[in-house]
Amino acid sequence: MKKLTLILGLILVMLQLSCTQMRTATGGGGSGVVVLDIGHFIGGDGASTPGAVNGKRLTECTWWYEYVYYTKKVIEDAGYTCIVTNRGNAPTSEPLSTYARRAGVVQLNHPDKNGARYPSRYHPDRVAGGMVSADYAIKRNAACVVFLHHNSSGGWTDGPSPSLIICNKHNGNRLGRTLARTLEHTVLNHGMDNGGRGCTVAVRSKDADRSAGWMNACDDSGIPAAVIECAFLNNRKHAEYLADAANSRRYAEAVGEGVVNYMRYFGNEKRHYRADEDEADEGSFGYAAESRSLNVPGAKRLLH
């Protein structure tokens, strides 16, 4: 009898350990799915360096196509599922097509045209360019989504640039701050000269303010979201750092480490969800029911 009790006790301990490991791997009850979205699209590459840096001309979208594999690998090595998306069509030229296949990029085949903006299929009064990427994260019930960008403000500057991470209002604060702190401890002023400055975290919640529409759509669905705008391509020191392949890999891995830190320590936090789709939320263009027929002046204006 004692032997049977001992065996049953050992089985119970093993089950408890197994459950603990499962909770850790899924962020404490979340989906365990992390979505990384490469900003912009091929042919609409976003920010770029004003000139060549060490023989290279860096552009926002193509840089992330090349290095997102390393971000994804850090996240997957920690036990999470990681999906990389891009709202554009698959690149057809080499080496970009090889990079896309290596990272398993899910091409959403919906590049923005002429600045057009679109309503979310889940929250129709949220209207923005690039909404298809947010909708994909919502569809996958992502534990968090990180939109991968580089910033630029025109011209070359040798001084520090305001490294920035943008997060959604209700769910993204922990994610934004964890990413910022991780980048500060690994690359910012640790190889990538930022003049001793850290990384600012800012909330964006007014729908008409660029990315806020799709950030809010994620917020409405209880998904923490953040936009990485940490490295400035118009900053000579940042650009020189990223022109080196080893440095670029380190930067991409640091973003992955930030995501893993968030998932491990905050992935099980209680989420905020939009309580009533028919009630206007701060920053929205109007009532969702009206927006479904595009009967909202702001939405009409942005939809062209």
Side-chain angles (χ1 to χ4, degrees), residues 7-284:
I7 292 171
L8 289 173
L10 287 171
I11 292 173
L12 181 61
V13 170
M14 291 173 68
L15 286 172
Q16 288 174 334
L17 287 171
S18 177
C19 289
T20 300
Q21 290 170 347
M22 287 176 67
R23 285 195 297 271
T24 300
T26 60
S31 68
V33 174
V34 173
V35 172
L36 303 175
D37 183 71
I38 297 173
H40 303 280
F41 52 91
I42 302 301
D45 300 285
S48 63
T49 54
V53 186
N54 297 338
K56 297 180 180 180
R57 183 74 180 269
L58 305 179
T59 62
E60 187 171 1
C61 182
T62 55
W63 188 95
W64 274 112
Y65 261 99
E66 182 171 359
Y67 290 101
V68 70
Y69 166 80
Y70 300 105
T71 309
K72 179 180 180 179
K73 188 175 187 304
V74 168
I75 296 168
E76 290 185 332
D77 285 350
Y80 304 102
T81 298
C82 184
I83 304 169
V84 180
T85 62
N86 179 254
R87 66 181 185 254
N89 301 317
T92 56
S93 62
E94 292 293 351
L96 286 178
S97 57
T98 295
Y99 296 149
R101 288 192 299 270
R102 180 178 66 173
V105 179
V106 176
Q107 305 291 162
L108 302 177
N109 303 320
H110 198 274
D112 300 338
K113 296 179 180 179
N114 300 320
R117 303 180 186 231
Y118 308 91
S120 166
R121 63 180 294 186
Y122 300 98
H123 308 283
D125 63 339
R126 302 300 192 187
V127 181
M131 185 63 81
V132 65
S133 297
D135 276 354
Y136 180 88
I138 295 169
K139 177 182 178 182
R140 294 304 304 260
N141 188 30
C144 68
V145 55
V146 179
F147 300 92
L148 304 170
H149 287 256
H150 289 306
N151 218 338
S152 181
S153 56
W156 283 101
T157 174
D158 292 317
S161 297
S163 294
L164 176 66
I165 292 176
I166 303 162
C167 62
N168 51 11
K169 180 178 179 179
H170 295 291
N171 294 296
N173 187 269
R174 291 282 198 187
L175 175 61
R177 292 193 179 280
T178 303
L179 286 166
R181 299 298 87 82
T182 303
L183 287 165
E184 287 173 350
H185 285 111
T186 52
V187 291
L188 271 182
N189 301 307
H190 294 275
M192 191 169 82
D193 189 351
N194 205 44
R197 295 175 59 170
C199 183
T200 299
V201 178
V203 170
R204 186 172 287 172
S205 61
K206 292 183 179 179
D207 278 7
D209 187 9
R210 292 185 291 179
S211 63
W214 37 265
M215 297 282 282
N216 284 337
C218 291
D219 228 355
D220 292 344
S221 291
I223 298 175
V227 183
I228 299 283
E229 300 276 18
C230 190
F232 272 65
L233 293 186
N234 67 304
N235 183 304
R236 288 181 187 273
K237 294 177 179 178
H238 288 192
E240 287 171 0
Y241 180 87
L242 294 175
D244 179 86
N247 290 341
S248 286
R249 177 172 175 173
R250 183 71 197 100
Y251 180 89
E253 290 173 340
V255 174
E257 289 165 14
V259 172
V260 170
N261 287 338
Y262 167 76
M263 291 290 286
R264 282 178 174 165
Y265 297 106
F266 306 112
N268 62 344
E269 285 194 322
K270 184 178 179 180
R271 301 291 167 78
H272 173 277
Y273 295 86
R274 190 170 178 180
D276 186 353
E277 277 294 295
D278 292 327
E279 183 178 348
D281 193 8
E282 180 185 351
S284 71

